[in-house]
Amino acid sequence: MYKELVNISGLRMVEAAARLKSYSKAAQELHVTQAAVSQQIRKLEAQLGCKLFYRKGRSMHVTHQGAVLTDAICEGFDSIVDGLKKIQTEPLAGELTITTTQSFASLVLVPRMWKFAVAFPDITLRVLTSKDTEDLRQGKIDIAIRYGRTPYPEYHCEMLFDDPIVPLCSPTVAKQLDKNDPNSLKACWLIDYEAQQYWPQWFKRVSVNSDISDCQVLRVNNIDVAMSAVLAGHGVCLGSAKQAALHIEQGMLVQPYTEGLEPGAQYRLMYDAESPRLQRIEAFSNWLKGELSGL
């Protein structure tokens, strides 16, 4: 493959000699002898079957074939240099790909993305939702925002928040509750997660009989479905007040009791510390931590 490129050093000498119009100046720039430049160019001319330079006075000038080759060499070298720069570091402007859970994207990230667009108009965010742990070192995904406490020593990790699990419901449902007696919750429709089943744990935390077999319980598979139910006025769910902060600020949800389960909902931001898009990553990370710091 690319058998025509067996003499890469000769191509460098052609470019330098064409630009400087001198074999001796090309030799000085490339830290070789003039004889080496002359020899390599003659070798390349023999390989190609055409003259690349002719002498005019004290200067060397490219022939038509030499000019065509020089243009191609310059274009190719420019492309290589661009590739090397992208590997080493990319500018702030460009695309940034983020993977996170469906719930974090819909409840926390997407509602605030317009603020990031205003602050950083030259960075285009691309958000993918997934529960998988992608390899951030392959360059296809820049940032992962993940729930849980699983360690990822291969990445740089930053805590976004670690929030207790608390009851959340609509203001209408909250009016039906006794704010001083968590037992009143047992008369409500309780929304729980199939994987976690938080309600028995929460009732035990507040010293309420944890047997909820007599309660109406709706089991769902994620916080999005739970939030949809409580926003529609159907019962009470357990979740992170920070994750639901926008709904609470807008008066659509309230936290009827202060007690929470710990360890709670922990989210971390992770990235490859050697990513060429580190400027973009740090800009996004600092912005998001700033957004969440006041919750």
Side-chain angles (χ1 to χ4, degrees), residues 37 134 142 154 206:
V37 172
E134 295 87 349
D142 303 304
E154 65 271 34
V206 297

Side-chain angles (χ1 to χ4, degrees), residues 235-273:
V236 187
C237 77
L238 285 165
S240 162
K242 289 187 176 181
Q243 196 168 359
L246 285 179
H247 292 316
I248 294 173
E249 291 172 9
Q250 294 167 359
M252 301 170 68
L253 289 178
V254 296
Q255 181 184 331
Y257 301 99
T258 58
E259 293 84 355
L261 282 177
E262 292 182 353
Q266 182 182 108
Y267 277 91
R268 287 172 296 168
L269 181 149
M270 302 179 291
Y271 59 86
D272 177 14

Side-chain angles (χ1 to χ4, degrees), residues 7 9-10 13 23 26-27 30-43:
N7 191 3
S9 61
M13 292 174 183
Y23 284 4
L30 298 174
H31 305 289
V32 295
T33 65
Q34 180 178 344
V37 172
S38 178
Q39 181 182 10
Q40 288 291 339
I41 291 177
R42 284 201 305 271
K43 182 178 179 181

